[in-house]
Every structure is written in C-alpha cells, then in structure tokens.
Amino acid sequence: MRVAIAGAGAVGRSIAGELLENGHEVLLVDKNPSSISVERVPQAEWLLADACEITSLDEAALQRCNVVIAATGDDKVNLVVSLLAKTEYGVPRVVARVNNPKNEWLFNEAWGVDVAVSTPRLMSALVEEAVSVGDLVRLLRFSQGDANLVELTLPPEAALVGTRVGEVQWPTDTSLVTIIRGHRVLTPAKEDALEAGDELLFVAAPDREEQLEELLSVTREPGAEG
C-alpha cells in the first residue's frame, strides 16, 4: 500500500516508521527544509514541497496513493490537503489530524476527511477508558459513514455477562468488532460468551450510542446467576 503523509514533524515521522515496519510504501511531504530529516526515516521517500499546492501533489503522484494522512500541526493545512486528496486525486482513504478540538466539526466528508483523529480527544478518551468500567467511551470518529469507534468495559454485575454474542439483540447500525480479554484480542464469534472485564469495541452510529450503553449497563437481578 502506498501512503503519503503531509507533515514530516514528530507525528508524521512516527506514523511513517510504523507503516514502513508493516511493509507499506511511504512518502513524507513537508515544505519546511528543517523537517526534511531523511536520516531519521531513511526507508521513506521524501519531498520538500507545499502539500497545499496542486503542483506539489502532482509531483507526489497522489493519484497512486491508497491513503493520504494530513498530519501537520496546522488544521487549515490539514483540511486543504484532505480536500485536494479526495476531490482532485480520488484517494480512497484520507486521515486527518485535528490539532484544535474546536475545529473538529470541520473535519468531515465535506472536506474529504474519512477519519479525523483529535489528539486531545484521543488522550482524554484513553484516560477515561483506563478508569471507567460500565461507561461508554468514544475513541474515534469516522466522518464517512457517520459512525464512531466506541469502547465499554463490561462490569461484573452486567446482565450480559455469560451471554453468547449471537444471542444479544444489538442495536441497529451497531457492530461488535473486537473483544479485548486480558492480553488477548478476540474476533467475536456467535458462540463466544461475554465475560466480566471484557473490553468491547463497537463501530456504532452516534444516535445508537445511548441505546448501546443502556443495553450494556443493565445489571443482573439479585440472586441471578451469571
């Protein structure tokens, strides 16, 4: 897979390193000469150019990219890069970094953004996830498709403890995608029984989150066996 990353700062280089380790082809683009540190990520392609300019994106051959990541520290730049990538080059997947949470509402399909990643929101969500049991935590927003990645740790007293995945009437527009159980990551199967302490990851429509949380927070009646 070919990935172009606009912004070769610490964030962009870190993403590039991870992608390269996973066998992907990566191009880093930055207009600041001081950010062009080829020795830090030698396996990547590097381009000194303004990612907001069509001529630069032509040079980067953005039409050959499967994914574009707008990872600069400037939200305006990230929005422009996302819009150009999607509308001018038809890039299938555009991921954009949100620096200022106040701008998060802009990072949507209208601007070409498929996935918006807000570092402050993600950090706060991870803090919530670490301390919350029984509360729904929003981890990531998918702009295209109007859905969120949400997590809930199943408390011991939950009525669904011991229930098989296939027996649960999940809300519509909701999909259980992963169960994290201790150090194991499980792909849910219908016959899998839910256990207390399971971290359940869902992709869900925003208007279904409250319904999902209510379903998972129902407690067993006193004396009922789990």
Side-chain angles (χ1 to χ4, degrees):
M1 183 171 68
R2 179 175 172 80
V3 182
I5 302 173
V11 173
R13 293 195 304 270
S14 177
I15 296 170
E18 291 284 342
L19 291 171
L20 287 163
E21 285 185 9
N22 290 325
H24 301 297
E25 180 183 349
V26 177
L27 169 66
L28 281 159
V29 183
D30 204 297
K31 67 177 182 179
N32 189 345
S34 64
S35 296
I36 304 298
S37 305
V38 179
E39 69 282 357
R40 293 192 178 185
V41 194
Q43 305 97 326
E45 298 177 48
W46 290 79
L47 178 62
L48 176 61
D50 186 346
C52 291
E53 297 287 342
I54 288 289
T55 53
S56 301
L57 300 181
D58 284 343
E59 187 177 355
L62 224 64
Q63 69 279 2
R64 294 198 295 110
C65 291
N66 306 99
V67 180
V68 164
I69 301 173
T72 78
D74 188 324
D75 285 343
K76 295 187 295 295
V77 170
N78 291 342
L79 285 170
V80 171
V81 171
S82 299
L83 185 62
L84 291 175
K86 184 65 71 174
T87 60
E88 298 296 325
Y89 298 91
V91 176
R93 193 73 165 167
V94 177
V95 179
R97 172 188 177 189
V98 184
N99 296 279
N100 186 340
K102 292 181 179 179
N103 297 329
E104 190 172 5
W105 66 277
L106 287 166
F107 286 73
N108 54 35
E109 189 175 357
W111 278 94
V113 178
D114 295 310
V115 180
V117 181
S118 170
T119 303
R121 178 181 290 278
L122 183 57
M123 290 180 69
S124 64
L126 290 173
V127 170
E128 290 182 48
E129 187 274 333
V131 300
S132 301
V133 175
D135 294 325
L136 200 70
V137 178
R138 184 179 300 168
L139 298 178
L140 194 65
R141 177 175 61 84
F142 299 98
S143 298
Q144 191 175 46
D146 193 24
N148 297 319
L149 178 67
V150 298
E151 182 270 353
L152 185 140
T153 299
L154 201 61
E157 67 275 11
L160 289 182
V161 170
T163 305
R164 297 184 187 277
V165 170
E167 297 172 351
V168 181
Q169 295 297 316
W170 303 110
T172 57
D173 300 324
T174 300
S175 177
L176 175 62
V177 293
T178 302
I179 300 173
I180 301 175
R181 183 173 295 162
H183 297 291
R184 300 172 61 201
V185 178
L186 308 176
T187 300
K190 290 183 177 181
E191 63 274 12
D192 289 335
L194 299 174
E195 296 182 5
D198 281 352
E199 292 183 50
L200 308 177
L201 272 68
F202 298 86
V203 173
D207 59 0
R208 298 296 180 181
E209 290 180 9
E210 184 176 350
Q211 185 179 352
L212 178 62
E213 185 170 23
E214 289 176 356
L215 172 66
L216 295 168
S217 64
V218 173
T219 57
R220 293 193 301 270
E221 294 181 3
E225 294 184 359

